[in-house]
Amino acid sequence: MIVVMNPGATQKDVTKITDKLKTMGYGVHLSTGENRTVIGVIGQRREEAAQAMEAMPEVEQVVFITRPFKLAGREFHPEDTVINIGNTSVGTDEVIVMAGPCAIENEDQLLQAAEAIKAAGAKVLRAGAFKPRTSPYSFQGLEKQGLQFLNEVRAKTGLLIVTEVMDQFTIDEVAECADIIQVGARNMQNYYLLRELGKIRKPVLLKRGLSATIEEWLMAAEYILSGGNYDVILCERGIRTFEPYTRNTLDLSAVPLVKQLSHLPVIVDPSHGTGLSGLVPAMSKAALAAGSDGLMIEVHPNPQEAVSDGPQSLTPDQFRNLMEELKGVAASVGRFI
Ligand code: PEP
Ligand code: MN
């Protein structure tokens, strides 16, 4: 349920109400809008809480939320969430582009990719140190050494870093290096991991699971938000369907739909979404037209030699051309890159 405070409620009024709710044993989450503060109340015996709140003069109304995602939903937080990361932010008119290789292979490959994407205008470097591979015989990532390379490349380029965490045991070391922690599609329903990510204060990029419904995806976000970490970016990366010509089916309708249901920023990964570098430019443009807040694109200095996801990776030249084209698309929907 949510408690909507009176329009003129002061900080003191809000504290009075949250203290009362906490004393009654409820979890409280604040959403401070321009005109109004909304308190999300989590706990059992909601009728009891509602009665107590309706009796308070500082409270305008109590509303029961019918959707299962309470904190990720628009009812609790009507305005778009903006996440500030370093010198940039996600969820504003600026479209944020995250690009780089699927996996960190060596320092030279990472640096070349980083310099190329930076020159083309991307602000965030993506690259995996811990890789969730379908086969145990495939390259599994450079792990700790990969994180070290990321640190070095960040120092050289000033790019922000997004990299994947695979389990709850490595959160601290990944968080030390990453500006945004990526939860991969295969881990979207790893609830222990999500719970632990709710306890830290670092943005999380939550990819949609391979076969996850939109509601399951938003419930995964709810795990992180309910722990008190409100900085979650959703990433549509394609879902598995009967169609074998593409690696996944990129569900672009998810973008405007999730934006209706939730206040969280949404970005699109057309690389994993299609599996084919030739489709990435068109789907990137379509993603911006659909209202995506950003893109995650795989770029490799030499895709033919990539140890993972070469067929879906753009060359630096292809990426630079795409970034030029995207500026026009962004402008046509009132945004910029
Ligand atoms: C990745 O970003 O390299 C990755 C493994 O993505 P996903 O989890 O979407 O498959
Ligand atoms: Mn990949």
Side-chain angles (χ1 to χ4, degrees):
M1 112 191 169
I2 56 174
V3 171
V4 183
M5 298 295 293
N6 285 332
T10 62
Q11 183 58 48
K12 206 170 142 219
D13 296 336
V14 175
T15 309
K16 176 180 161 192
I17 300 297
T18 52
D19 283 353
K20 176 151 178 79
L21 285 163
K22 284 182 200 161
T23 318
M24 291 172 76
Y26 295 96
V28 298
H29 297 266
L30 278 192
S31 160
T32 315
E34 258 174 43
N35 308 313
R36 229 177 271 258
T37 299
V38 173
I39 305 170
V41 184
I42 307 286
Q44 306 294 316
R45 308 185 325 275
R46 57 182 203 166
E47 275 74 21
E48 181 193 66
Q51 267 180 16
M53 288 300 112
E54 272 159 359
M56 307 297 275
E58 297 84 357
V59 169
E60 185 181 77
Q61 59 167 329
V62 173
V63 182
F64 290 113
I65 300 183
T66 46
R67 298 212 193 267
F69 39 90
K70 311 289 179 198
L71 303 174
R74 281 254 178 220
E75 286 158 292
F76 166 60
H77 195 293
E79 287 143 35
D80 285 344
T81 281
V82 173
I83 301 177
N84 298 316
I85 308 162
N87 55 0
T88 189
S89 34
V90 183
T92 65
D93 285 345
E94 179 172 1
V95 170
I96 185 125
V97 179
M98 311 181 185
C102 179
I104 302 158
E105 297 166 13
N106 55 64
E107 195 176 4
D108 198 40
Q109 169 249 16
L110 186 64
L111 184 59
Q112 275 187 47
E115 283 174 342
I117 65 123
K118 185 180 172 184
K123 293 206 171 151
V124 184
L125 175 66
R126 64 137 291 141
F130 297 93
K131 294 303 302 175
R133 303 306 300 279
T134 302
S135 165
Y137 310 119
S138 301
F139 174 65
Q140 302 287 308
L142 294 183
E143 303 189 341
K144 278 184 201 308
Q145 199 191 17
L147 296 179
Q148 262 168 29
F149 290 158
L150 274 176
N151 278 327
E152 284 160 26
V153 169
R154 190 225 318 257
K156 284 186 185 146
T157 61
L159 286 164
L160 296 169
I161 305 288
V162 56
T163 196
E164 180 162 352
V165 70
M166 293 244 293
D167 57 44
Q168 65 269 42
F169 312 109
T170 39
I171 291 178
D172 290 344
E173 55 184 307
V174 173
E176 219 175 284
C177 163
D179 299 286
I180 306 168
I181 300 183
Q182 177 171 328
V183 175
R186 292 157 191 79
N187 256 325
M188 189 206 83
Q189 285 178 313
N190 179 342
Y191 298 117
Y192 283 103
L193 175 61
L194 299 177
R195 240 187 244 290
E196 291 303 312
L197 290 170
K199 295 180 188 162
I200 64 167
R201 295 294 170 263
K202 185 144 273 197
V204 175
L205 179 85
L206 180 64
K207 287 193 144 194
R208 182 175 180 182
L210 277 74
S211 310
T213 63
I214 285 172
E215 189 159 299
E216 286 164 344
W217 187 19
L218 291 174
M219 291 311 287
E222 191 77 13
Y223 266 87
I224 304 170
L225 301 177
S226 61
N229 184 356
Y230 303 122
D231 290 345
V232 176
I233 305 163
L234 299 166
C235 179
E236 163 61 42
R237 48 77 71 204
I239 47 176
R240 184 162 290 191
T241 68
F242 47 79
E243 177 51 63
Y245 272 109
T246 46
R247 179 176 178 181
N248 290 292
T249 294
L250 186 61
D251 180 10
L252 284 183
S253 65
V255 176
L257 178 53
V258 166
K259 287 208 154 273
Q260 280 174 11
L261 296 171
S262 174
H263 51 89
L264 296 173
V266 187
I267 71 162
V268 169
D269 171 352
S271 308
H272 294 88
T274 62
L276 297 165
S277 60
L279 302 187
V280 168
M283 297 318 280
S284 300
K285 292 177 215 167
L288 296 199
S292 179
D293 294 303
L295 293 165
M296 172 173 264
I297 299 175
E298 286 188 339
V299 177
H300 193 285
N302 187 357
Q304 279 161 351
E305 281 172 21
V307 297
S308 69
D309 288 351
Q312 68 191 38
S313 299
L314 298 186
T315 64
D317 278 353
Q318 289 168 336
F319 180 66
R320 185 166 23 89
N321 292 338
L322 174 59
M323 286 293 276
E324 282 309 311
E325 290 179 7
L326 289 174
K327 285 178 189 159
V329 181
S332 76
V333 290
R335 307 185 80 152
F336 67 96
I337 293 192

